[in-house]
Amino acid sequence: MKNLEHYLQQMNAGVVTTISDKDEMFAFARSALPSDAEATAYYLDTGRELATSLLNLLIESGVAPDSVDLLDFAAGYGRVTRWLVSVLRSVTTVDLEPDMIDFHRRVLGVDGYCSSADPAVAIGGGKSYDLIFVFSLFTHLPDSKWLPWLAALAAALRTGGLLVFSASSYELFSLLNPAEYGDPGSWNREFVFWMDNETRGRLDESEYGCNISAESYVRRRVSETEGIVLVRRFRMGEFDRYHDIYVARAI
């Protein structure tokens, strides 16, 4: 199997750097940074870092990236997807907005389809995948939606396939607003949800808000989901700059 450096060279050479003017992730970065150039660099750098972590996870797991069929679920406008197109065997993207899927097809050269906000609707477009990547979905879900979405995603994995998803820890929120979240010794709630998001009304805040999830909460929810087992947790800074990343394997 080729080493990580080989895949990184291929990834960097093949990336498309065009950013949609509708990209909410870029807009959020632009609101926090002083120039378009700095926001663009941040957007591309953080996408590349996540893609690099995914490739490294595959290689450490003994899986050749060029043998992998990926489902990038809740892909947005392809912040991470764009880096993986030239490396993996296939990439399929999913999100709620037709314009996002159109951007993936026209600009990034990958196929995809519009999902439903209802997890009872089958995921995968009738296909199964070796890797499902879900960044910034579970960080927004209320408690009532965790199990349905985990079950739906697990059902689209091939045996041995990996579900990789992000979560927001108390450690992250203590950095953002220590006064609100207080001393770690007082953090005794496994899960906290509140209604707020960056979509400016595009998504219902009661269904897509913000949350904090302790490791014990995530482990319990995965253990309650048929067909997957939790195999790894990456703490904030180990896989992504800000989020915890959890890896579950299909059995």
Side-chain angles (χ1 to χ4, degrees):
M1 184 169 62
K2 303 177 183 72
N3 62 24
L4 178 62
E5 186 58 34
H6 168 86
Y7 290 108
L8 293 182
Q9 290 177 2
Q10 186 176 338
M11 179 181 81
N12 291 326
V15 69
V16 174
T17 58
T18 303
I19 301 172
S20 170
D21 58 8
K22 297 179 181 179
D23 194 312
E24 291 163 348
M25 294 291 288
F26 177 79
F28 180 78
R30 184 63 186 89
S31 70
L33 294 169
S35 70
D36 283 351
E38 288 173 278
T40 298
Y42 173 85
Y43 177 95
L44 293 174
D45 286 349
T46 53
R48 185 186 67 250
E49 289 165 11
L50 279 164
T52 299
S53 294
L54 278 171
L55 292 176
N56 193 51
L57 172 65
L58 290 171
I59 292 169
E60 286 185 348
S61 302
V63 178
D66 50 14
S67 71
V68 168
D69 296 320
L70 165 72
L71 179 67
D72 189 353
F73 194 81
Y77 282 91
R79 180 172 66 110
V80 180
T81 308
R82 66 184 66 235
W83 295 97
L84 297 169
V85 172
S86 64
V87 181
L88 304 184
R89 180 166 63 188
S90 73
V91 176
T92 302
T93 58
V94 181
D95 216 306
L96 290 171
E97 301 297 328
D99 190 69
M100 294 174 178
I101 305 306
D102 179 63
F103 179 84
H104 300 156
R105 289 172 176 157
R106 288 188 301 101
V107 180
L108 303 183
V110 298
D111 200 13
Y113 63 91
C114 287
S115 63
S116 169
D118 181 1
V121 176
I123 289 173
K127 300 178 181 178
S128 59
Y129 299 88
D130 306 295
L131 175 65
I132 300 179
F133 180 56
V134 190
F135 192 83
S136 201
L137 173 64
F138 287 94
T139 53
H140 294 281
L141 295 178
D143 173 63
S144 62
K145 295 295 185 180
W146 272 65
L147 283 178
W149 277 116
L150 283 170
L153 291 160
L157 278 173
R158 294 169 184 158
T159 301
L162 299 177
L163 170 62
V164 181
F165 64 95
S166 64
S168 297
S169 67
Y170 274 110
E171 288 78 7
L172 167 62
F173 280 88
S174 71
L175 294 177
L176 297 177
N177 194 345
E180 180 176 353
Y181 297 99
D183 181 80
S186 68
W187 295 343
N188 55 14
R189 295 177 63 187
E190 278 196 320
F191 186 85
V192 181
F193 175 83
W194 65 99
M195 293 192 294
D196 184 39
N197 65 50
E198 74 280 5
T199 68
R200 300 177 182 177
R202 180 173 65 85
L203 298 176
D204 183 351
E205 292 182 344
S206 67
E207 297 291 323
Y208 188 86
C210 289
N211 68 51
I212 307 169
S213 52
E215 180 180 4
S216 57
Y217 175 86
V218 179
R219 287 187 176 278
R220 178 160 51 83
R221 286 298 185 225
V222 173
S223 72
E224 293 167 342
T225 303
E226 184 177 352
I228 55 173
V229 294
L230 192 67
V231 295
R232 192 160 183 183
R233 174 201 181 192
F234 293 91
R235 295 179 180 275
M236 180 180 66
E238 295 178 338
F239 193 109
D240 176 59
R241 294 186 188 187
Y242 306 112
H243 296 88
D244 286 8
I245 301 293
Y246 290 89
V247 183
R249 186 183 301 277
I251 55 176

